[in-house]
Amino acid sequence: MERAEEKSATNKDEELRYDGDHLTVGVTENKDLPKIKNIQYKEVNLDSLTPEQEELDALIITKAFFNEADKNKYVNFYKEVEYPVFFVGIEGFKLFAFTTEDMNIENSKDDNSAYIQGFKNTNGEKEVFKVYKSKEATDKEIFIQMFDYISK
């Protein structure tokens, strides 16, 4: 019986793979991010980022940096950035808190928002990405969904 459970857990872990292209993902903080094959996290400073930073395939802004990322000085960056941007741990707030001038996390509260919210600027429009976190979902499962979205 134990062996069957062990095999089941192994199969589930094998199913939880990211099989896409290698991605270099800028992160404001990489502690506690799941280790996933083909994903390289690169710690970045928000002030040093440019909208067309070619060495990044995406940007992840973690909860510890929301207060900084929420400043009006980044609104133009979010409008122009050429790679997808994701806010991880944003449940409780709406994405527009970061992307709209004079909005902030204090006046954009929403208890029904997604755990990860992100966007990609495409042809002058923001294509929005959201993942809600269920009690059963692991961070690895959620991040794989995000990386699959980036690589398509």
Side-chain angles (χ1 to χ4, degrees), residues 12-68:
K12 182 173 178 165
D13 195 47
E14 286 176 10
E15 291 171 15
L16 294 176
R17 286 196 328 227
Y18 166 74
D19 291 323
D21 295 334
H22 173 82
L23 298 175
T24 301
V25 180
V27 295
T28 54
E29 169 184 60
N30 79 8
K31 79 175 195 181
D32 301 328
L33 297 184
K35 293 189 186 332
I36 298 173
K37 181 183 172 190
N38 287 342
I39 303 299
Q40 175 189 356
Y41 298 118
K42 178 181 178 183
E43 284 203 31
V44 296
N45 181 322
L46 288 176
D47 281 332
S48 65
L49 293 175
T50 62
E52 64 282 329
Q53 206 148 0
E54 293 177 16
E55 72 269 7
L56 297 180
D57 296 301
L59 172 64
I60 294 174
I61 299 174
T62 55
K63 200 171 200 166
F65 287 83
F66 285 176
N67 285 331
E68 175 64 22

Side-chain angles (χ1 to χ4, degrees), residues 64-132:
F65 287 83
F66 285 176
N67 285 331
E68 175 64 22
D70 188 24
K71 294 181 179 172
N72 276 339
K73 69 181 184 176
Y74 296 112
V75 170
N76 281 336
F77 169 78
Y78 299 135
K79 286 180 183 175
E80 298 170 6
V81 65
E82 296 176 359
Y83 44 86
V85 177
F86 301 93
F87 297 84
V88 174
I90 192 175
E91 74 274 14
F93 307 104
K94 290 287 191 181
L95 180 63
F96 68 78
F98 300 94
T99 61
T100 305
E101 197 161 335
D102 297 325
M103 293 301 296
N104 59 50
I105 53 180
E106 292 307 313
N107 60 18
S108 68
K109 293 186 181 200
D110 182 352
D111 293 334
N112 297 314
S113 59
Y115 176 70
I116 296 177
Q117 296 176 52
F119 65 89
K120 179 174 20 173
N121 292 319
T122 307
N123 300 323
E125 299 288 323
K126 280 204 181 334
E127 181 180 308
V128 176
F129 174 85
K130 296 179 183 179
V131 178
Y132 292 87

